[in-house]
Amino acid sequence: RMQKKRAAAALLTAAMILGVPAQAGSRGAFSDVPEKHWAFAAIEQAYADGVMTGTYYDAVTGVRQFSPEGSLSMAEWLSMLTRACWPEEVASAPSSGSWYAGAAAVAEHHGLLDGVEDVPLEGALTRNAMAVVIRHVLEEQGVVPAAAAGLSLGEYSALHAAGVFDARTAVGLTAFRGRAMEEAAAGRESAMMAVLGMGRELLQAACDEAAA
């Protein structure tokens, strides 16, 4: 049960912090994650559990950073997940070579890389590849979704989670989708926005004005 709680902390925190800016004034483990940050409590818990250690540490000053605005690599993602779910295996795994060698070995042993073998371990991680790995982790932990739903790109993750197609197909389809959208938008002035809490009549008036 404790392993599942630690896994959930890593999954939910890391999957959602990407690209969320932080403010100054932290009193927690990381100098760049203030108490006002929406994920502060989860990040602190993940650090306390040994799941996350941060991206920078100054042994002289004791300053530790989390880099909430930075991208996440597959190696960092696997390190967090394996520390959360299989800490004993990570601790005893061979660590020669790269800093993430032990985590990568444990991840491969548990099948976390199935379908995403071609994703560079040190490159920026896509959300779809992240979703594929999450599904593998949940299956290993005995968590099976009763239903799956997704919006936009999340539709592909949901379809994969529901068993409609395998991980390799999911990654290939999202890559094709990205290329197709880029080609369709080339040379055209376009934009996208989300509207929350606005009445239908006011929204329609704004659309009519923009289209005039």
Side-chain angles (χ1 to χ4, degrees):
R1 179 175 297 178
M2 180 59 67
Q3 284 187 343
K4 290 186 179 181
K5 288 184 178 179
R6 296 176 67 180
L11 290 170
L12 296 177
T13 304
M16 298 179 70
I17 55 147
L18 298 179
V20 178
Q23 304 170 13
S26 173
R27 293 185 179 180
F30 302 102
S31 63
D32 55 352
V33 183
E35 290 182 279
K36 293 182 178 180
H37 193 288
W38 65 269
F40 179 82
I43 292 173
E44 289 294 300
Q45 186 62 56
Y47 173 72
D49 287 342
V51 175
M52 299 178 181
T53 58
T55 58
Y56 169 81
Y57 176 67
D58 189 320
V60 177
T61 63
V63 172
R64 188 182 298 274
Q65 294 181 346
F66 187 75
S67 302
E69 295 183 63
S71 60
L72 188 70
S73 70
M74 177 66 87
E76 292 169 331
W77 185 225
L78 295 178
S79 295
M80 289 187 286
L81 295 179
T82 52
R83 287 175 195 155
C85 301
W86 305 282
E88 295 83 6
E89 293 183 35
V90 174
S92 61
S95 57
S96 59
S98 60
W99 63 267
Y100 53 81
V106 173
E108 184 175 4
H109 173 72
H110 287 280
L112 305 192
L113 296 175
D114 292 351
V116 291
E117 299 91 341
D118 297 333
V119 176
L121 291 178
E122 297 185 11
L125 181 64
T126 65
R127 291 187 181 275
N128 190 67
M130 178 184 288
V132 169
V133 177
I134 287 176
R135 184 195 178 196
H136 292 324
V137 171
L138 293 177
E139 288 178 339
E140 279 284 303
Q141 296 293 311
V143 179
V144 180
L151 174 65
S152 188
L153 188 61
E155 295 178 37
Y156 295 86
S157 301
L159 289 168
H160 167 57
V164 176
F165 42 63
D166 59 21
R168 187 175 297 278
T169 301
V171 173
L173 285 173
T174 53
F176 172 77
R177 176 183 184 271
R179 291 192 300 270
M181 291 182 66
E182 184 176 3
E183 293 175 2
R188 300 183 179 182
E189 292 187 8
S190 60
M192 180 183 297
M193 68 174 61
V195 180
L196 302 175
M198 181 182 290
R200 183 181 182 88
E201 293 183 0
L202 184 57
L203 178 58
Q204 185 62 57
C207 291
D208 292 341
E209 182 178 349

